[in-house]
Amino acid sequence: MIAAPVRLPGGHLRGRTVRVAVSILAAALLRAALAPLGDGLSTGVFAAALAGIAWLERDLVGGESRWGRGVSVAGGLGLGLLLLAPLAGSAPGGRPLGAFWQWGAIAALVATLEEVAIRGRLQRRWTQDFGPPVAILAGAAVFALIHLPRYGASAMPLDFSVGLALGGLRALSGRVMPGAIAHVIADWGAWFIA
């Protein structure tokens, strides 16, 4: 009798986990490299890359939701408003409302794709391999790093903190939707204040 090869637990998943993290970071670097050609092109390529990552990792969808749809929406709204709380009392940014609509639609799409890729795919893989605390920290680190080229090192602590909050919401709810709602609300609110 020939013995079957021994596989270490999680060995296969760990390679895929690293691949997902590297893919997300590479998408952000590509966005930064394309930025001189225009924000529309660089953002479009970034969104397409995130959609590709989400599609390639689609085997991870489903089966873990702990919150119903109503609680998920309420949780997302609550966290979104909490993320905007530090900006309360700030003077409006002076951007015209007419310019918001196109930007807001694109921002909602990109924020949702970031949540699907980072919290939906990456965080779930890291949770399977290393447990929820490490997964939340890893997701927050990737979230902060993908924003580094766009917002600079001074925004890293804020982006990391937001990533922790979004990752915690994902861990509590078992869903990506609440984090996507919170992320979109925070981005939209920042449009008017920043």
Side-chain angles (χ1 to χ4, degrees):
M1 175 178 220
I2 299 174
V6 176
R7 290 184 65 137
L8 296 174
H12 175 261
L13 288 176
R14 288 193 176 129
R16 288 183 76 177
T17 300
V18 171
R19 185 188 74 226
V20 173
V22 168
S23 297
I24 294 167
L25 293 170
L29 287 174
L30 181 58
R31 181 185 197 179
L34 293 174
L37 300 176
D39 195 46
L41 174 67
S42 64
T43 299
V45 169
F46 179 63
L50 292 177
I53 292 164
W55 183 80
L56 289 171
E57 300 298 326
R58 68 191 179 281
D59 62 306
L60 296 173
V61 175
E64 64 188 74
S65 177
R66 288 179 283 290
W67 289 3
R69 186 167 293 161
V71 174
S72 293
V73 169
L77 290 171
L79 180 58
L81 293 173
L82 185 63
L83 292 173
L84 288 175
L87 300 176
S90 299
R95 295 179 180 165
L97 182 60
F100 169 77
W101 302 112
Q102 181 181 2
W103 176 89
I106 293 167
L109 173 66
V110 172
T112 300
L113 287 170
E114 285 179 5
E115 292 308 307
V116 169
I118 296 172
R119 254 60 72 179
R121 304 304 185 248
L122 179 65
Q123 185 170 325
R124 181 154 180 201
R125 287 221 181 267
W126 279 80
T127 298
Q128 290 171 340
D129 286 355
F130 305 106
V134 172
I136 293 168
L137 288 169
V142 168
F143 185 75
L145 286 169
I146 68 169
H147 292 94
L148 177 63
R150 200 159 178 87
Y151 302 116
S154 63
M156 293 270 305
L158 174 63
D159 288 331
F160 185 77
S161 298
V162 170
L164 288 176
L166 294 169
L169 187 59
R170 165 73 161 117
L172 287 172
S173 69
R175 297 179 138 212
V176 174
M177 180 178 52
I181 291 169
H183 192 157
V184 169
I185 288 171
D187 284 356
W188 285 355
W191 164 269
F192 294 103
I193 298 170

